Amino acid sequence: MSTKTKSQFICQSCGYVSPKWLGKCPDCENWNTFIEEIISVEKKKRTKDNDLKASSVEVHTIKTIESKRELRIQTKIDEFDRVLGGGLVSGSVILIGGDPGIGKSTLMLQIAENLTGKKFLYVTGEESPIQIKMRADRLNFNKENFYILPETDLDIVQAVISKNAPDIVVIDSIQTTYIPQLESPPGTISQLRESTSLLINIAKSTGIPILIVGHITKDGTIAGPKVLEHMVDVVLHFEGERTHNYRILRSIKNRFGSTNEIGIFEMTENGLREVKNPSEVFLSQRNYGASGCVISSSIEGTRPILIEVQALVTETSYGFPQRTTMGIDTKKLNIIIAVLEKKMGLFLNKHDIFLNIAGGVKIIEPAIDLAIALSIFSSFRDIPIDSETVILGELGLAGEVRTISNIERRINEAEKLGFKKIIIPKNNLKNIQNKKRKIELIGVENLRETISFLI
Ligand code: TYD
Ligand code: MG
């Protein structure tokens, strides 16, 4: 076996490898992301040993493999457990990515505190034990069996894990850990990959769930954890604006549960608080009677959440009208504007349009299309829309209102929060069993009909 070292240039954003330095990555198209990394290559020759090894390996048919119910550890933080699909699966590796300062370390401490009776190992490369102690005091944290290991060398971490046999391990953060055999510094793509694969090995061989914290910068220049997403079992994003108190924990990938599930938290003086009823939060600062504001509903994971769509349409003071969105895709806005122009004769080419989903959530599902169209119409004409009405429906290019999913759940949520009327696609109305409700159900076929009903 011979070992030689060679240097490679690796894009720190997507992992693209090049033999020479490049200014712009040909794969992810980011600038200045290449860093030289020295890697040692072990050349393994094919030997007869391989054939010997192969002859002793058994393969199984799917029928002969015993199915086991996976063991899950519940953290009893419902918002966290639900996002995981019911708790931490033993031997799983979970990556929690998020901007610096969003509250990842705080969440880890709170999970530790909730897991009474479990031995918890907190490996920290970012903060000293004293800093962690100070945060723990702020959270009124008093857990026994909580071990802090200020260490970044993963060989040592591995030794400590096998000696102490904890029930759960947290690595905070993956950007600070390293494997001493590699020449590249911590935080580089090679280190991130190798560290993660070592941690995966530890988790699979011991059955200990490992939570890995990773930073993601906003502009995505050093999106290191992105290249790790395919390796781990679960990828969670902890998001939110640092200026807002709400934090959303989103599942991006989950081998043991549904993705698109979200957990909502509020950052308070004493740490993160679970938000059990998200609709109330997103509607807490509602504008009653203001034009451009429309209530709609979105299904996030398994839960319906009522949200406020806000549009502001103003005459443009530049030659070119602006289209600015927060929480929805600008392309979607452009399509809806085109439908409003063609089907309603609303000419918006001399108007700036700003669209916002209040509370800082991002919505991708089409069920809020109709609400977006109505909010623009309402702001343009400066006529408010009844604040006791919820508006739901996907908008087709011909101005037709199309069927949406999970209609009963959305209606129930609107009813529970005391709304008086709900506008839904006519085709959905046919299939609703219980039409005698406190909330009045109104079926609509197209945009024109909806507008003439409301305005
Ligand atoms: P932290 O968990 O250190 O973030 P991360 O690990 O993602 O970098 O949280 C940092 C922010 O949270 C910090 O700006 C202070 C705030 N915070 C609170 O508002 N209340 C609290 O109880 C705690 C512990 C932190
Ligand atoms: Mg931290």
Side-chain angles (χ1 to χ4, degrees), residues 19 24 37 40 59 92 110 135 313 328 357 413:
K24 183 182 177 189
E37 296 192 24
S40 50
V59 285
S92 64
Q110 289 187 241
R135 175 178 299 121
V313 181
I328 73 151
I357 308 292
E413 179 77 0

Side-chain angles (χ1 to χ4, degrees), residues 204-371:
K204 301 294 166 207
S205 60
T206 57
I208 302 170
I210 301 187
L211 292 151
I212 301 178
V213 172
H215 296 296
I216 298 176
T217 52
K218 257 257 158 70
D219 56 354
T221 44
I222 307 171
K226 275 233 172 302
V227 296
L228 309 178
E229 288 184 355
H230 71 278
M231 301 171 73
V232 298
D233 298 308
V234 180
V235 179
L236 305 177
H237 275 195
F238 205 31
E239 0 173 289
E241 299 294 329
R242 245 185 298 170
T243 45
H244 281 65
N245 287 338
Y246 296 109
R247 303 281 182 267
I248 294 175
L249 188 68
R250 202 180 281 279
S251 150
I252 307 293
K253 163 181 172 178
N254 192 347
R255 288 188 178 145
F256 318 107
S258 110
T259 50
N260 296 329
E261 194 64 83
I262 66 169
I264 303 176
F265 296 89
E266 184 184 357
M267 182 60 97
T268 68
E269 284 196 357
N270 315 312
L272 294 158
R273 189 182 68 80
E274 289 180 74
V275 174
K276 304 261 180 187
N277 192 345
S279 298
E280 275 171 19
V281 169
F282 291 114
L283 300 182
S284 62
Q285 293 163 37
R286 273 179 67 189
N287 300 293
Y288 292 91
S291 67
C293 298
V294 176
I295 306 297
S296 189
S297 145
S298 166
I299 297 278
E300 294 288 339
T302 50
R303 285 187 303 181
I305 297 181
L306 291 177
I307 45 146
E308 188 179 57
V309 181
Q310 302 180 326
L312 185 63
V313 181
T314 55
E315 260 177 59
T316 182
S317 30
Y318 307 98
F320 193 73
Q322 291 187 63
R323 307 284 183 243
T324 310
T325 59
M326 298 251 289
I328 73 151
D329 188 18
T330 322
K331 278 194 208 117
K332 171 176 274 198
L333 173 65
N334 287 334
I335 293 173
I336 294 171
I337 291 171
V339 175
L340 280 167
E341 291 187 337
K342 183 86 182 169
K343 297 292 159 192
M344 300 304 302
L346 205 67
F347 289 102
L348 297 160
N349 54 357
K350 293 204 170 50
H351 286 81
D352 292 337
I353 300 179
F354 305 94
L355 200 92
N356 179 32
I357 308 292
V361 269
K362 289 196 191 78
I363 311 263
I364 44 171
E365 66 154 353
I368 65 163
D369 290 359
L370 192 59

Side-chain angles (χ1 to χ4, degrees), residues 98-110 122 126-127 134-136 138-139 172 213 215 238 242 245 247 267-272:
D99 297 335
I102 206 75
K104 300 181 293 297
S105 305
T106 308
L107 180 64
M108 295 300 112
L109 274 192
Q110 289 187 241
Y122 190 94
E126 305 221 326
E127 291 166 308
M134 276 159 56
R135 175 178 299 121
R138 188 164 165 188
L139 299 172
D172 193 357
V213 172
H215 296 296
F238 205 31
R242 245 185 298 170
N245 287 338
R247 303 281 182 267
M267 182 60 97
T268 68
E269 284 196 357
N270 315 312
L272 294 158

Side-chain angles (χ1 to χ4, degrees), residues 119-135:
K119 206 167 166 185
F120 204 98
L121 179 68
Y122 190 94
V123 180
T124 167
E126 305 221 326
E127 291 166 308
S128 65
I130 295 180
Q131 282 173 304
I132 294 172
K133 174 79 180 151
M134 276 159 56
R135 175 178 299 121

